[in-house]
């Protein structure tokens, strides 16, 4: 057994910016979250880096190749031992399509404020707005 403290498992979410807009994806499940909007992403597998997990998830969910960039915003605790983190994701190739979501949309700063975001992702609104306002 290792003496190293157990690290939190991570769920990663990608903030893709393009031409002054941010990509949001509309969830289809679970029922409580269906219809609400999020930064797309998913759970980091064991022995996988957050960067690789984000690239894998966005390929699976959006059919795009991305390069994972810097963290954005705070850690959002999901449950004991599980934390949600947002990263910038730079589009390398492909045009995002909703393979796993109901639909996708690109929002500017004003539109972001009017979207029904999932509660967890609302924690990142200040940084997302700052980025959109700077673009
Ligand atoms: O998308 P998935 O169901 O794999 O996400 C795992 C967990 O992370 C879920 O509880 C989901 O609600 C949460 N999540 C979130 N915001 C995101 C992505 C995932 O709250 N942008």
């Amino acid at each position: 057994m290792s003496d190293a403290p157990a690290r939190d498992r991570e769920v990663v979410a990608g903030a893709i910016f393009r031409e002054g807009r941010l990509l949001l994806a509309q969830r289809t499940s679970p029922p409580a979250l269906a219809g609400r909007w999020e930064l797309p992403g998913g759970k980091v597998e064991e022995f996988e880096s957050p960067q690789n997990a984000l690239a894998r998830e966005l390929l699976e969910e959006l059919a795009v190749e991305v390069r994972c960039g810097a963290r954005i915003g705070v850690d959002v605790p999901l449950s004991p031992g599980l934390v949600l983190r947002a990263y910038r994701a730079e589009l390398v190739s492909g045009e995002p399509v909703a393979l796993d979501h109901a639909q996708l949309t690109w929002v500017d700063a004003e539109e972001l404020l009017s979207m029904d975001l999932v509660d967890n992702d609302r924690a990142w609104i200040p940084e997302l707005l700052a980025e959109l306002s700077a673009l």
Side-chain angles (χ1 to χ4, degrees):
M1 218 171 77
S2 160
D3 290 324
R7 284 204 297 168
D8 284 345
R9 292 292 300 276
E10 193 172 332
V11 175
V12 291
I16 303 177
F17 295 98
R18 187 168 71 184
E19 294 168 8
R21 292 175 173 270
L22 169 71
L23 184 73
L24 293 180
Q26 190 179 37
R27 290 193 66 105
T28 59
S29 67
L33 296 181
R36 301 186 69 188
W37 296 84
E38 67 174 6
L39 299 187
K43 203 165 176 181
V44 179
E45 303 285 357
E46 214 172 342
F47 308 120
E48 187 181 38
S49 68
Q51 290 76 14
N52 285 350
L54 187 68
R56 176 183 52 73
E57 288 285 349
L58 298 192
L59 184 60
E60 290 170 5
E61 296 185 358
L62 308 176
V64 290
E65 197 186 330
V66 299
R67 194 174 305 120
C68 181
R71 290 274 316 279
I72 289 194
V74 294
D75 285 11
V76 181
L78 293 180
S79 59
L82 190 63
V83 64
L84 173 67
R85 296 195 174 113
Y87 292 79
R88 286 165 197 279
E90 189 188 328
L91 271 179
V92 174
S93 69
E95 179 62 27
V97 287
L99 298 180
D100 201 42
H101 289 88
Q103 54 179 329
L104 307 177
T105 190
W106 293 91
V107 295
D108 63 17
E110 194 182 331
E111 289 160 347
L112 175 62
L113 287 172
S114 71
M115 299 299 290
D116 184 17
L117 283 189
V118 298
D119 292 339
N120 291 329
D121 294 25
R122 304 195 77 83
W124 304 321
I125 286 180
E127 290 79 13
L128 296 172
L129 277 182
E131 178 75 24
L132 287 170
S133 306
L135 291 173

